[in-house]
Amino acid sequence: MEFPFDINHLFPERFSILDQTLVAGRKTAGMPHLQANIETVIDELGRASAKAQQLPASITSASKLQSQKHQLYLLKDGESNGGRGVVVGFLKVGYKKLFLLDRQGSHVEAEPLCILDFYIAENLQRYGYGRELFDFMLQHKKLEPVLMAYDRPSPKFLSFLAKHYCLTPSVPQANNFVVFEGFFVNIAGSP
Ligand code: ACO
């Protein structure tokens, strides 16, 4: 995804982690154009993700990120676009308190890290970028994919999880979240 400004200037590293402050680990006080450009990138990514998932509205935007305690992992390719860089995609995560049904039909209350939105630019899908970004997040959070919950995963994402992490859906839930075989075993064993 190309932008009319230098992506390498905005995001110096291959991976950036954005939170409520949107600053990508830098001080943007006195540099309002940087902040505005970061907002443009997030809004554009959110729109593209919603379109790809055929959602009526974006679930990711700069204003939403500023008002929620979520984290957005962003992957760039710094060499494309004549050295100005392109944004490859993003992954948004956050903790949510969920009431889930286990195999016995009992309600289990848990607050797992949830995958809330995930998008790789259309022309860059199926090149391994999604795996690279997901693995970076797992390493950063020191988590296994089976310990997380997934908010309304798309067919492509379910296929991605089965292929790369051998995950198969567990008990159907009454909400939009999906957890996988092994989730309840692991939370039962956690302190
Ligand atoms: N059709 C079916 N499966 C796909 C497709 C596709 N068009 N694209 C990726 N996948 C799955 C397949 O398992 C594929 O393996 P295969 O090529 O051997 O069949 C695997 O992902 C490829 O892995 P990566 O290359 O690492 O994944 P990619 O970079 O394509 O990223 C992602 C995966 C994020 C799901 C991407 O395809 C995408 O952005 N899709 C559109 C948006 C979307 O559906 N996002 C998930 C929303 S749900 C949520 O966020 C909770």
Side-chain angles (χ1 to χ4, degrees), residues 150-162:
Y150 298 80
D151 190 1
R152 214 188 298 247
S154 66
K156 285 185 188 180
F157 191 26
L158 287 171
S159 162
F160 170 95
L161 290 169

Side-chain angles (χ1 to χ4, degrees), residues 48-55 59 75 88-92 114-122 124-134 149-165 176-177:
S49 179
K51 190 171 168 214
Q53 297 176 64
Q54 294 167 332
L55 300 175
I59 46 176
L75 172 62
V88 172
F90 77 98
L91 176 62
K92 188 172 77 172
C114 298
I115 303 295
L116 303 171
D117 203 358
F118 188 20
Y119 176 72
I120 297 293
E122 305 299 326
L124 299 175
Q125 289 175 17
R126 285 185 142 158
Y127 286 102
Y129 289 113
R131 170 86 195 251
E132 189 184 350
L133 186 55
F134 205 88
Y150 298 80
D151 190 1
R152 214 188 298 247
S154 66
K156 285 185 188 180
F157 191 26
L158 287 171
S159 162
F160 170 95
L161 290 169
K163 177 187 165 120
H164 294 307
Y165 306 105
N176 293 322
F177 284 83

Side-chain angles (χ1 to χ4, degrees), residues 27-40:
K27 290 197 172 72
T28 54
M31 293 186 279
H33 64 289
L34 282 188
Q35 181 89 7
N37 288 350
I38 291 174
E39 289 176 20
T40 300

Side-chain angles (χ1 to χ4, degrees), residues 31 49 54 60 89 96 100 121 136 182:
M31 293 186 279
S49 179
Q54 294 167 332
T60 299
K96 287 209 181 266
L100 299 164
F136 178 83

